[in-house]
């Protein structure tokens, strides 16, 4: 059980109430807009994309995490890859640009989270090689609709203090999708709140339970911060194969991971 004491419970209740005040109307609005968008934009979803980004941005402010963006998100469609440290990555990465999350298939069955993930258009991929062609076609359809696909090549979350080797198999679907496809590497660096000795405060990894970690984060005041560093996009066609592509992207993401992150006040 997370250690929540004193005013922490009041802060927790207030934040959860405000988050629900964002999520519940947002869910209703998305359901309505999803019915209307195909009549005006075919497979494009400009209304729900803007709504999703606004909701994530609002949620980030409710949580109280200080946010700093470095570099610029690419404007064209393509893919975005980032290191994966926490469930907080949804807020850190979704606040900077309209993106479509790519997640492992198991997430679709998670209570509550699975429903929200499906609602915002998350693309679920399986490790079953028999589904490779179908998933490649699905990713191509998303790109053709002008979306940016965000996925985490480490394949799992970490403590936020390191970058694990990128799994090159996750890039197989991108190496033969289209000429000129670009992928933007992004580094996410969390900074623990003042007075917290554990620098991995925001990291959620291994066999850590989600509930207690969320209680710990949402009850904290004041919060720490997050730096989101956008590197220059690279062209898939510049690399001979998926392994070389994975190594290049991993090196870019790793290059901005400082030994001790610092965030100006």
């Amino acid at each position: 059980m997370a250690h929540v004491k004193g005013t922490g419970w009041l802060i927790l209740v207030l934040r959860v109430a405000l988050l629900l005040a964002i999520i519940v109307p947002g869910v209703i609005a998305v359901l309505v807009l999803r019915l209307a968008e195909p009549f005006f934009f075919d497979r494009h979803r400009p209304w729900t994309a803007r709504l999703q980004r606004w909701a994530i941005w609002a949620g980030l402010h409710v949580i109280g995490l200080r946010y700093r963006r470095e570099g610029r998100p690419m404007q064209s469609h393509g893919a975005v890859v980032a290191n994966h440290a926490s469930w907080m990555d949804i807020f850190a990465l979704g606040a900077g640009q309209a993106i479509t999350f790519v997640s492992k298939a198991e997430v679709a069955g998670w209570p509550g989270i699975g429903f929200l993930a499906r609602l915002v258009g998350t693309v679920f991929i399986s490790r079953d090689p028999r589904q490779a062609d179908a998933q490649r076609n699905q990713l191509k359809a998303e790109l053709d609709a002008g979306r940016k696909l965000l996925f985490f090549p480490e394949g799992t979350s970490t403590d936020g203090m390191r970058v694990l080797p990128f799994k090159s198999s996750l890039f197989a679907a991108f190496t033969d999708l289209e000429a000129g496809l670009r992928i933007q590497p992004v580094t996410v660096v969390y900074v623990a709140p003042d007075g917290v000795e554990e620098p991995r405060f925001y990291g959620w990894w291994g066999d850590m339970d989600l509930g207690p970690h969320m209680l710990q984060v949402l009850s904290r005041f004041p919060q720490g911060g997050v730096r989101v560093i956008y590197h220059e996009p690279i062209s898939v066609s510049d690399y001979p194969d998926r392994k070389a592509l994975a190594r290049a992207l991993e090196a870019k993401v790793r290059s901005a991971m400082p030994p001790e992150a610092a965030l100006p006040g």
Side-chain angles (χ1 to χ4, degrees):
M1 182 65 182
H3 298 290
V4 181
K5 298 180 180 178
T7 57
W9 284 110
L10 178 60
I11 294 168
L12 174 65
V13 170
L14 179 60
R15 282 181 174 152
V16 169
L18 290 173
L19 287 173
L20 288 175
I22 295 169
I23 293 172
V24 174
V27 167
I28 296 172
V30 167
L31 291 173
V32 173
L33 292 174
R34 281 289 172 84
L35 294 174
E37 280 178 317
F39 294 100
F40 298 94
F41 307 105
D42 193 22
R43 294 193 70 255
H44 296 266
R45 297 195 295 258
W47 294 339
T48 50
R50 291 191 187 97
L51 177 61
Q52 176 185 328
R53 185 179 176 187
W54 174 85
I56 289 175
W57 181 261
L60 188 70
H61 281 71
V62 168
I63 294 171
L65 196 68
R66 289 178 291 156
Y67 173 84
R68 172 175 169 179
R69 191 183 81 182
E70 301 176 21
R72 296 183 60 186
M74 65 180 182
Q75 299 302 306
S76 62
H77 74 286
V80 179
V81 299
N83 57 303
H84 188 20
S86 172
W87 54 273
M88 296 285 291
D89 295 342
I90 296 172
F91 294 95
L93 293 162
Q97 60 180 328
I99 51 179
T100 297
F101 292 93
V102 179
S103 176
K104 57 185 180 181
E106 303 92 277
V107 174
W110 291 3
I113 294 177
F115 168 75
L116 291 175
R118 291 192 298 272
L119 185 70
V120 299
T122 299
V123 177
F124 297 104
I125 57 175
S126 168
R127 297 178 183 178
D128 187 346
R130 293 172 297 181
Q131 299 185 32
D133 289 340
Q135 290 176 162
R136 186 181 295 109
N137 291 335
Q138 184 180 11
L139 293 175
K140 185 178 186 305
E142 295 292 331
L143 291 170
D144 289 344
R147 300 189 183 101
K148 296 186 184 72
L149 302 177
L150 169 71
F151 66 109
F152 301 107
E154 292 166 295
T156 186
S157 57
T158 72
D159 61 2
M161 305 301 291
R162 69 203 72 213
V163 176
L164 299 178
F166 282 10
K167 296 182 182 298
S168 62
S169 59
L170 297 176
F171 293 93
F174 292 95
T175 54
D176 56 9
L177 276 180
E178 63 174 82
L181 178 67
R182 299 199 302 166
I183 300 180
Q184 183 169 37
V186 180
T187 307
V188 181
V189 181
Y190 289 97
V191 183
D194 292 338
V196 174
E197 295 182 1
E198 176 55 81
R200 303 175 297 178
F201 179 80
Y202 292 109
W204 174 61
W205 75 100
D207 59 355
M208 293 174 65
D209 291 329
L210 177 60
H213 189 262
M214 294 184 73
L215 290 178
Q216 174 182 269
V217 171
L218 294 177
S219 63
R220 181 71 195 185
F221 183 84
Q223 292 280 16
V226 62
R227 294 170 55 214
V228 183
I229 302 105
Y230 291 88
H231 304 279
E232 285 297 316
I234 67 175
S235 295
V236 173
S237 58
D238 289 343
Y239 297 86
D241 52 47
R242 59 185 173 84
K243 292 184 178 180
L245 176 64
R247 287 194 298 268
L249 290 164
E250 178 190 329
K252 282 287 188 180
V253 172
R254 192 186 301 275
S255 69
M257 288 292 292
E260 293 186 5
L263 185 79

